[in-house]
Amino acid sequence: MAHCPSIDDVENNDWSPGSFIASEICSGLFWIYPCIYWEEENSQCEETESTMEFGRAFNAASIFLVFLLLVSVVTAKKSGNVAELQIGVKLKPKSCDLKAHKGDRVSVHYSGKLTDGTVFDSSYERNDPIDFELGSGQVIKGWDQGLLGMCVGEKRKLKIPAKLGYGESGSPPKIPGGATLIFDTELVAVNGKKSTSDSEL
């Protein structure tokens, strides 16, 4: 079996004759070294200018592609955007005698912001929770899905992707197209009933 040299081997010319076969291509993540032919009396593979140009071009293309991948990952992380709905429980009642189900009339306090921290709406500021029928499409899909099973008195943080929010068109002027939305929510009542039990973190 032919043996591929390491990068150090290639740079130091440190390999023996007979280690390669004709047209053998030795490759790694950022390395390709094609050997066109070898001679028994020589101590290394012969190479031509064209093979070295090919190797350099391959290396440069590989590095560029990996660079683009890393940039896209870092950009997505820094933007705070999410691809799927994320639900985080911030406060859970000791007991849960009332839960929100599809078709229930719920009352919810909320504060909504963009990933850069800009608050675009808040029922807390108005001291007026929103009332709607859960799961009937009266609110964005991220709410219809993210509030299911929530206990009265519970607080949740919802990170909602654009596809479950306002989509690519957004809701101008406060919500741009393709925006991930972050909501701090609190379930106040279900079908007009409020919980009187104590809550804990």
Side-chain angles (χ1 to χ4, degrees):
M1 180 180 295
H3 167 69
C4 291
S6 67
I7 295 177
D8 290 338
D9 290 338
V10 173
E11 291 178 346
N12 297 330
N13 294 330
D14 186 17
W15 63 83
S16 60
S19 297
F20 306 93
I21 59 175
S23 300
E24 178 69 25
I25 296 180
C26 300
S27 62
L29 180 60
F30 297 115
W31 182 260
I32 183 167
Y33 190 87
C35 299
I36 299 304
Y37 62 90
W38 59 273
E39 297 179 359
E40 191 67 36
E41 64 273 13
N42 290 339
S43 62
Q44 63 183 48
C45 286
E46 296 289 341
E47 60 192 14
T48 65
E49 185 62 30
S50 62
T51 63
M52 291 303 294
E53 289 178 359
F54 173 74
R56 286 192 291 269
F58 183 89
N59 294 340
S62 299
I63 294 172
F64 181 68
L65 290 174
V66 172
F67 173 75
L68 288 180
L69 177 62
L70 290 175
V71 168
S72 63
V73 170
V74 171
T75 300
K77 185 174 181 180
K78 288 181 66 176
S79 71
N81 290 335
V82 297
E84 302 297 335
L85 174 64
Q86 296 182 6
I87 303 172
V89 177
K90 298 179 64 179
L91 184 148
K92 189 80 170 181
K94 289 181 179 179
S95 62
C96 186
D97 51 348
L98 287 174
K99 279 188 177 182
H101 301 92
K102 184 177 181 180
D104 285 338
R105 192 77 186 173
V106 297
S107 180
V108 181
H109 257 313
Y110 68 92
S111 177
K113 61 185 179 181
L114 304 177
T115 56
D116 65 1
T118 302
V119 177
F120 56 81
D121 194 13
S122 174
S123 67
Y124 289 106
E125 293 180 359
R126 298 186 297 271
N127 195 27
D128 183 23
I130 183 174
D131 293 331
F132 63 96
E133 183 179 314
L134 186 61
S136 64
Q138 295 180 2
V139 292
I140 59 176
K141 292 180 180 179
W143 270 43
D144 272 340
Q145 296 177 19
L147 302 180
L148 286 172
M150 194 172 182
C151 305
V152 170
E154 182 178 339
K155 294 183 179 181
R156 290 183 179 180
K157 172 171 282 188
L158 307 179
K159 289 187 177 182
I160 302 174
K163 64 182 180 181
L164 299 180
Y166 293 97
E168 294 304 317
S169 59
S171 181
K174 293 186 176 181
I175 301 175
T180 287
L181 308 177
I182 301 174
F183 285 95
D184 289 310
T185 63
E186 177 183 0
L187 184 59
V188 177
V190 173
N191 297 324
K193 298 179 181 179
K194 296 182 180 182
S195 174
T196 57
S197 60
D198 294 332
S199 298
E200 66 178 1
L201 291 176

